[in-house]
């Protein structure tokens, strides 16, 4: 029997309530949601499945988490949270300042960190796939920039694809420095499959690694996870995560650095 209009509107309102709850408490369990909304766990599971089909949430073991919103183009992201990203770059630089060879992923925060490297370091080598990162480094003529080939992604201003991956596999680095579209208890992820493939390769080719990401990425899941937290050494951000995300970092012994300023 088809649901009547009253039942349909009630379900829609309940699902809107679920999204509002997840915005405040990002990793809610099914039982907790059922108790909060005074419905059965079966009803909540059906709601979560519908929301997941719409791409609004991601199911987790026993619960759900909001999906990261679609990322705008890099040119727009570069105008957001600038002070926070600059603070992250300053703190991240202190961790990797003794490196001689770097692999740097694309992103607004990594581009700011590249400017810091250009200002502070001399005679280092950086392997990049992002034109924003390469242009920031080009301010320092002593830095050797190796640009990865591949298929150009206009929105990200970076090279991706099989050719990029094969190119990176021929190099090794002291540090891989990466951004992320989202950070969940399961690991960092990116909105672009192609970028996630590049980031995963950079991680495997580097002796040390670091993720630089602002607090807006916390407790979200994006399309493609590129690592588990057990593979990550350091996370630098402008706020300290809480709840399941922080517990995951502690359990996997990820060094968390709170950016100063």
């Amino acid at each position: 029997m088809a649901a009547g209009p009253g039942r349909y509107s009630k379900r829609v309102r309940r699902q809107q309530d679920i999204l509002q709850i997840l915005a405040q408490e990002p990793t809610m369990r099914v039982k907790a949601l059922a108790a909060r909304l005074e419905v059965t766990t079966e009803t909540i599971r059906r709601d979560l499945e519908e929301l997941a089909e719409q791409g609004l949430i991601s199911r987790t073991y026993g619960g759900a988490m909001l999906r990261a919103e679609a990322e705008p183009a890099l040119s727009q992201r570069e105008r957001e949270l600038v002070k926070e990203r600059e603070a992250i770059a300053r703190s991240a630089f202190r961790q990797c300042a003794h490196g001689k060879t770097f692999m740097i992923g694309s992103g607004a925060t990594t581009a700011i960190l590249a400017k810091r490297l250009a200002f502070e370091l001399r005679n280092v080598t950086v392997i990049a796939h992002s034109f924003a990162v390469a242009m920031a480094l080009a301010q320092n003529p002593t830095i050797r920039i190796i640009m990865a080939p591949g298929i150009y992604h206009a929105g990200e201003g970076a090279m991706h694809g099989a050719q990029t991956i094969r190119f990176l596999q021929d190099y090794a680095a002291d540090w891989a420095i990466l951004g992320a579209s989202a950070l969940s208890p399961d690991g960092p992820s990116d909105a672009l499959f192609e970028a996630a493939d590049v980031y995963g390769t950079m991680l495997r080719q580097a002796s040390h690694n670091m993720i630089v990401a602002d607090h807006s990425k916390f407790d979200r899941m994006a399309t493609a996870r590129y690592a588990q937290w057990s593979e990550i050494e350091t996370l630098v951000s402008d706020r300290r995560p809480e709840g399941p995300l922080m517990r995951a970092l502690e359990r996997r012994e990820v060094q968390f650095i709170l950016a100063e300023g």
Side-chain angles (χ1 to χ4, degrees):
M1 180 181 298
R7 180 179 297 181
Y8 173 79
S9 61
K10 186 176 181 180
R11 184 174 80 249
V12 171
R13 288 196 298 271
R14 186 175 61 248
Q15 291 179 1
Q16 290 174 343
D17 289 341
I18 289 172
L19 293 175
Q20 290 176 358
I21 291 170
L22 288 175
Q24 299 298 320
E25 302 176 55
T27 52
M28 286 288 286
R29 310 286 288 182
V30 168
K31 289 183 178 179
L33 283 168
R36 178 83 69 87
L37 298 175
E38 299 180 341
V39 295
T40 65
T41 55
E42 289 76 13
T43 296
I44 290 296
R45 288 192 180 94
R46 286 195 296 270
D47 287 336
L48 295 180
E49 290 299 333
E50 290 185 14
L51 291 169
E53 289 175 1
Q54 297 171 41
L56 298 174
I57 67 168
S58 294
R59 292 300 309 273
T60 62
Y61 182 76
M65 176 178 291
L66 286 178
R67 288 190 62 81
E69 296 180 0
E71 281 199 313
L74 178 63
S75 58
Q76 179 179 337
R77 303 200 315 268
E78 288 176 331
R79 298 192 294 268
E80 300 170 348
L81 299 171
V82 175
K83 290 183 178 180
E84 290 84 350
R85 297 180 197 277
E86 289 175 343
I88 291 169
R90 287 194 298 270
S91 295
F93 172 76
R94 287 194 285 270
Q95 297 299 308
C96 64
H98 297 294
K100 294 299 182 183
T101 307
F102 303 84
M103 288 187 176
I104 302 181
S106 61
T109 307
T110 53
I112 291 176
L113 179 55
K115 292 179 183 179
R116 174 66 54 174
L117 295 180
F119 182 75
E120 299 281 359
L121 297 183
R122 297 291 183 273
N123 302 313
V124 299
T125 298
V126 179
I127 302 157
H129 72 125
S130 160
F131 284 92
V133 168
M135 289 175 65
L137 295 166
Q139 300 175 51
N140 183 337
T142 76
I143 294 180
R144 184 187 187 196
I145 305 166
I146 301 176
M147 191 70 193
I151 300 172
Y152 181 67
H153 188 286
E156 194 65 17
M159 309 302 280
H160 299 134
Q163 189 177 10
T164 311
I165 302 302
R166 289 195 297 270
F167 181 86
L168 293 171
Q169 289 171 341
D170 287 335
Y171 290 88
D174 299 323
W175 279 93
I177 303 174
L178 309 170
S181 299
L183 304 174
S184 79
D186 292 330
S189 55
D190 200 86
L192 295 175
F193 284 109
E194 304 95 325
D197 290 340
V198 171
Y199 298 166
T201 303
M202 287 182 166
L203 282 174
R204 290 188 290 273
Q205 301 303 116
S207 300
H208 303 284
N209 64 68
M210 180 191 317
I211 293 176
V212 291
D214 66 79
H215 68 276
S216 69
K217 313 300 175 63
F218 292 174
D219 299 306
R220 297 289 188 270
M221 295 180 72
T223 304
R225 187 183 69 185
Y226 62 82
Q228 299 179 358
W229 287 118
S230 58
E231 302 172 83
I232 303 302
E233 293 182 0
T234 303
L235 168 64
V236 185
S237 188
D238 60 311
R239 292 186 190 175
R240 186 175 297 277
E242 299 176 350
L245 176 55
M246 192 64 195
R247 290 196 292 272
L249 297 176
E250 293 171 343
R251 185 165 59 251
R252 299 302 182 185
E253 298 182 345
V254 178
Q255 179 187 24
F256 175 76
I257 297 174
L258 180 63
E260 299 176 2

